[in-house]
Amino acid sequence: MKIRISARPLLASAVVTLLLGAFHGTASADTLLSVLVKDERGVLQQNARVEATSARGTTLSTHFADDGSYFIAGLAPGTWHVSCNATWFYPSGEDIEIPDGQEVHKLELVLKRISIRIRLLDADGKATHRPFLSGPRDEWIQDSNGSVVQPPLWIVPSLEQLPSELSPYPGRYGYWHYIGHDLGRFFEGPDDKQFCEPGGGCREVHIPKGCFGILELASPPPLHASLTLMNQVLASELLEPGQDEVEFTVSREDMLKQLSTVKLRLIDAETSKPVTGARIGFKTYDQLPGPAFGNVSIADDGSVLLTYQVPGLQELWIDAPGYEDFGGSFDSPTVDVRNLFLIPAGETIDLGEVKLHRPTSISGVVQNANGQPVANASVWIRNLDRVRFPQPIYPFAVSPVDANGAFSIEGMGKGRYMVVAGARDGASWDWYGTTEWACTPVVVDASKEPVKDLKLTLDPGTQVVVRAGADTPVQSVATIEGEQGKLFWSDELLPGRFSTLRLVPGKYKIRAYDLLLENWWLERSLEVGEDSIVVDL
């Protein structure tokens, strides 16, 4: 057996000496236990915890060998219990008897994945995959785009029972399908799914016939499982130890009560005349399948009625020929503008006039302090005229620069924009504030003419760490602003977490906004010098 030695040389050397003694009978008469851990498909599992416990209560832990086995040295003759624990699997174990004089004892343990079958029943108790598709085809419901309504149902695991309505914002109960990502993962049927493990290797997840999907858990129950429609919790069940199936009953009528109707009117931002002939629709903020985006009926006055919309934080997408890329990119890969609206469940809301601007562009060059072009940078802009409250999320677009440091962002609507650049030292760029270089933001007015020949100068800057305290409101956004309200940074703020960014030395203002209570709960000055600082909120 080849032993892999990667750390702690003295300890590893002692282990090897002990093993050699065990094999040659010169240093110890104890047994070497070799354990192979596999799943039900016969695939080796190399992230398990294997222990051997004697009848006297002595516990020995394993080391890992290059052949994929776990080994424990020093087992005395007698009865031992070998236990194995691994994330996503039920615990496994076996009693073994070590005879006197045995040099090597081999054992194979098979782990069973923690898999819960999810069944969805309609009002008549019949298994269904989609409540809206359970009846005859001519009874299927269509939205304003003429698409069959298939609201995105999901199963969310949680340690405690979830409230009836989850927050659509970041935080403890935010991003509804992410809140239990560390507890489990849901695979929706009816077709089998291909899943690739983060550490490598892919496998097929079998969805049994008649099942809505499969919920795999990181650890055995007890655990809560909830059926959700975006941020609405339709039903919850407590999974008991050993339970491998759970049923949720939901009728089409109950589902319809959760869907909403949205009214709005499209107008030209400059002439106030109605805009017709556009494609329009909502898209879920986290990119999960939402209502279809297509050609809706637009009245002569620009009025639009969108029916059967799912609740939660939605992004409005509009594609009108001759106007800006509203809500996303249709022709330009660099534009990713967020136009977010909060849609309550089971209501009719009126968004009023939605103004569409004629497209414009911003172009220029990124340079260093010596005026030389920077080729490994990227540029992003934030629309200062379109901030969607109750959350201070600024729509943005991003563009890489070419070998000469030149950039061009096109397709966004006319208005005021903050423009800033960031770069790493030849590596990948990250606009969330972890860049190796800082840049003083430039506020430009692109409300009339395109902005050309804009020069952005990079500076090494000073590292600033923004650290949220344990009592920070669980759903917050923090911003750092400079003179004249120039926005340097904004990010989600979670209790106990921190963000790292670089700022040009100067005076700033840091603010924090509570998304749940809809108010600014912190505002204070911030002075950045040459030395790195930590800002505790």
Side-chain angles (χ1 to χ4, degrees):
M1 177 183 296
K2 182 181 179 182
I3 307 302
R4 180 169 56 198
I5 302 175
S6 57
R8 299 184 180 180
L10 293 178
L11 176 59
S13 177
V15 170
V16 172
T17 301
L18 177 60
L19 292 177
L20 292 175
F23 281 122
H24 298 289
T26 59
S28 172
D30 291 337
T31 299
L32 175 70
L33 174 64
S34 174
V35 183
L36 283 178
V37 179
K38 300 181 179 180
D39 65 10
E40 295 170 296
R41 300 173 301 134
V43 178
L44 288 175
Q45 301 298 312
Q46 301 182 0
N47 295 310
R49 186 176 72 254
V50 181
E51 295 179 338
T53 304
S54 70
R56 295 183 177 181
T58 302
T59 299
L60 301 177
S61 299
T62 56
H63 301 277
F64 193 67
D66 283 342
D67 66 352
S69 66
Y70 300 82
F71 63 91
I72 305 177
L75 272 70
T79 301
W80 291 79
H81 178 75
V82 183
S83 62
C84 178
N85 291 275
T87 306
W88 306 105
F89 294 93
Y90 287 105
S92 178
E94 186 174 326
D95 290 330
I96 63 173
E97 190 72 27
I98 301 295
D100 190 17
Q102 184 178 28
E103 289 186 350
V104 180
H105 186 97
K106 294 185 178 181
L107 178 66
E108 182 175 304
L109 295 178
V110 178
L111 297 179
K112 179 182 179 182
R113 196 172 294 276
I114 308 173
S115 179
I116 311 295
R117 297 185 301 275
I118 306 297
R119 288 168 51 84
L120 198 61
L121 306 180
D122 60 19
D124 297 326
K126 296 180 181 179
T128 178
H129 179 65
R130 287 292 189 213
F132 286 147
L133 308 185
S134 58
R137 191 178 186 87
D138 57 3
E139 294 182 7
W140 291 1
I141 299 174
Q142 297 181 340
D143 62 16
S144 308
N145 293 317
S147 301
V148 175
V149 174
Q150 300 184 60
L153 297 177
W154 205 254
I155 301 297
V156 176
S158 60
L159 294 176
E160 56 189 81
Q161 185 167 341
L162 296 177
S164 59
E165 183 173 348
L166 308 177
S167 170
Y169 304 117
R172 186 182 184 191
Y173 290 134
Y175 291 155
W176 59 283
H177 75 298
Y178 286 131
I179 60 176
H181 74 279
D182 56 338
L183 301 175
R185 49 200 178 205
F186 178 63
F187 301 93
E188 182 184 2
D191 301 321
D192 293 347
K193 294 293 186 291
Q194 188 79 7
F195 177 71
C196 296
E197 302 284 354
C202 297
R203 60 184 173 87
E204 187 177 79
V205 179
H206 174 60
I207 312 294
K209 185 177 180 180
C211 282
F212 175 52
I214 292 293
L215 176 64
E216 292 184 351
L217 298 177
S219 60
L223 206 68
H224 290 271
S226 299
L227 175 67
T228 63
L229 170 61
M230 293 302 292
N231 66 323
Q232 303 297 308
V233 177
L234 304 180
S236 293
E237 294 289 341
L238 176 62
L239 301 177
E240 301 289 351
Q243 185 174 350
D244 58 7
E245 182 174 292
V246 63
E247 293 181 348
F248 293 98
T249 300
V250 57
S251 67
R252 183 162 67 170
E253 290 70 24
D254 290 338
M255 293 278 289
L256 280 172
K257 294 178 182 178
Q258 303 293 329
L259 304 183
S260 302
T261 298
V262 179
K263 299 178 180 180
L264 56 91
R265 181 169 175 260
L266 299 178
I267 65 170
D268 186 295
E270 298 179 7
T271 65
S272 297
K273 293 182 179 180
V275 176
T276 59
R279 293 191 302 155
I280 184 171
F282 279 99
K283 190 176 183 181
T284 60
Y285 179 44
D286 38 23
Q287 306 300 306
L288 289 176
F293 174 81
N295 298 306
V296 300
S297 176
I298 302 178
D300 292 339
D301 65 349
S303 298
V304 180
L305 187 68
L306 298 171
T307 57
Y308 301 115
Q309 302 299 306
V310 296
L313 194 60
Q314 303 286 359
E315 182 179 0
L316 180 61
W317 282 42
I318 302 172
D319 181 18
Y323 288 91
E324 62 183 303
D325 288 332
F326 191 100
S329 172
F330 300 101
D331 301 313
S332 171
T334 62
V335 178
D336 187 17
V337 181
R338 299 287 187 179
N339 296 283
L340 303 173
F341 296 88
L342 181 59
I343 300 179
E347 298 184 16
T348 297
I349 62 171
D350 192 341
L351 302 182
E353 293 181 344
V354 176
K355 299 179 179 180
L356 296 180
H357 295 263
R358 295 294 179 176
T360 188
S361 63
I362 299 175
S363 59
V365 65
V366 179
Q367 60 187 18
N368 59 22
N370 298 323
Q372 298 173 327
V374 179
N376 62 309
S378 287
V379 176
W380 69 95
I381 64 173
R382 288 181 183 267
N383 188 321
L384 300 180
D385 295 332
R386 187 176 289 157
V387 181
R388 294 295 177 199
F389 281 90
Q391 57 172 5
I393 293 181
Y394 292 76
F396 73 93
V398 61
S399 171
V401 303
D402 63 17
N404 298 316
F407 70 92
S408 179
I409 303 179
E410 303 175 352
M412 66 282 191
K414 294 181 178 180
R416 295 183 311 117
Y417 288 88
M418 181 211 72
V419 189
V420 70
R424 291 183 182 273
D425 290 329
S428 62
W429 167 83
D430 184 351
W431 76 276
Y432 280 106
T434 58
T435 54
E436 299 291 342
W437 295 80
C439 173
T440 299
V442 177
V443 175
V444 299
D445 188 350
S447 59
K448 295 182 180 180
E449 299 292 335
V451 176
K452 301 179 180 179
D453 302 322
L454 181 65
K455 289 182 171 56
L456 300 174
T457 302
L458 292 180
D459 184 279
T462 300
Q463 178 174 287
V464 178
V465 178
V466 180
R467 188 166 56 190
D471 57 348
T472 297
V474 296
Q475 298 160 348
S476 294
V477 169
T479 64
I480 293 180
E481 302 169 7
E483 296 178 355
Q484 300 177 345
K486 292 181 181 179
L487 182 71
F488 279 74
W489 172 83
S490 69
D491 201 0
E492 302 163 3
L493 196 63
L494 300 177
R497 302 289 183 87
F498 66 90
S499 295
T500 303
L501 63 149
R502 304 191 77 88
L503 293 175
V504 177
K507 294 183 179 181
Y508 300 86
K509 178 172 61 178
I510 185 168
R511 301 199 296 168
Y513 186 83
D514 189 319
L515 297 169
L516 186 61
L517 300 180
E518 301 182 11
N519 62 11
W520 294 97
W521 59 270
L522 179 143
E523 180 174 330
R524 70 177 189 228
S525 60
L526 172 66
E527 187 165 351
V528 178
E530 300 294 335
D531 298 328
S532 300
I533 60 174
V534 176
V535 181
D536 288 313
L537 303 182

